[in-house]
Amino acid sequence: ADRQVLADAKTQYDSQKQQLQSAMAESERISKELTTSEQVTADRQKEINAAFAKADEEIRQWWIEYYKQQEESNADKVVSPGSFMWPMPGYTKKSNITQYFGGSNSHRGIDIAGAGIYGKEILAADSGVVAVASYNNAVYGIYVQIDHGNGVATLYGHTSGLLVKAGQKVTKGQPIAYVGDSGIATGPHLHFGVLIKGSPVNPLQYFQLG
């Protein structure tokens, strides 16, 4: 009887051992898949960061050429009052900023988002002239750039549609586009950037948010 009890116990032990080994093998497989998935995600993020860096450098070079042409021409220069208003009324809290300037991916502006934001009007942060109104930028999608004079410009990216065209004069608070998710975007939001002589600076230095 004792031998039978021991035999049954050994059989149960072997069965549990096999189940444990199978569970450990499955755990290892899942761990490897997760590692691979994380690597793919990291690689994809590097590609996205590189695409944004390239686009921002092209924008910087565009502004350098733009200001050069402005200096060589006799055209009237735009001179704005120099103060900005928030471009997304109704989305004015810090919680509406989903990505800040700088950081590990060297973000060149701020991302403004929130419930129901898709299709909302984007307002010109200051008066000026529309320097760029593009429908086909690979990174920023449908986007606008406004020249405010004195080397100051603003950029509004990932929109779903434009209300202005290049060369058009706009006033502070005028609707210029609709929020969207065009270009490289993970969801509806406004990418808002401020540029000084083509180089991006932190937009939040111009605002006080609640």
Side-chain angles (χ1 to χ4, degrees):
D2 290 341
R3 284 198 298 272
Q4 185 61 45
V5 171
L6 289 173
D8 291 343
K10 185 176 185 304
T11 299
Q12 184 178 4
Y13 168 78
D14 289 341
S15 176
Q16 292 176 341
K17 181 179 179 182
Q18 186 175 3
Q19 290 176 7
L20 178 60
Q21 289 175 336
S22 296
M24 291 175 64
E26 178 67 8
S27 176
E28 185 176 355
R29 183 188 67 80
I30 293 174
S31 178
K32 287 181 179 179
E33 286 185 355
L34 287 174
T35 301
T36 301
S37 176
E38 289 171 357
Q39 185 59 47
V40 169
T41 301
D43 290 343
R44 176 56 179 159
Q45 189 59 54
K46 287 181 181 178
E47 292 176 0
I48 291 174
N49 292 347
F52 272 95
K54 181 180 178 182
D56 289 322
E57 178 57 23
E58 290 174 350
I59 288 172
R60 189 181 74 85
Q61 292 296 331
W62 185 92
W63 279 106
I64 289 174
E65 184 61 27
Y66 174 87
Y67 288 125
K68 180 180 178 182
Q69 292 177 3
Q70 289 285 306
E71 291 174 359
E72 292 174 351
S73 71
N74 293 321
D76 293 336
K77 304 294 189 299
V78 177
V79 179
S80 69
S83 61
F84 288 146
M85 68 173 289
W86 191 248
M88 284 305 310
Y91 299 86
T92 59
K93 298 180 179 180
K94 290 181 179 179
S95 58
N96 291 122
I97 302 176
T98 56
Q99 193 166 7
Y100 285 83
F101 181 86
S104 59
N105 62 347
S106 300
H107 196 232
R108 271 75 169 183
I110 56 173
D111 289 348
I112 306 170
I117 198 171
Y118 189 93
K120 297 292 186 181
E121 288 184 341
I122 301 167
L123 309 183
D126 200 355
S127 300
V129 174
V130 177
V132 177
S134 172
Y135 279 86
N136 57 0
N137 185 274
V139 172
Y140 290 112
I142 305 170
Y143 83 109
V144 180
Q145 291 190 94
I146 299 176
D147 175 18
H148 302 292
N150 294 324
V152 181
T154 49
L155 183 152
Y156 312 77
H158 306 302
T159 78
S160 60
L162 304 181
L163 296 170
V164 294
K165 58 184 179 181
Q168 179 179 339
K169 291 183 178 181
V170 295
T171 57
K172 187 174 184 177
Q174 177 179 334
I176 57 172
Y178 299 107
V179 174
D181 56 2
S182 58
I184 300 178
T186 56
H189 71 278
L190 167 65
H191 172 93
F192 176 65
V194 176
L195 304 99
I196 305 297
K197 290 291 185 180
S199 296
V201 297
N202 188 356
L204 291 181
Q205 66 182 296
Y206 298 96
F207 302 98
Q208 291 290 333
L209 299 183

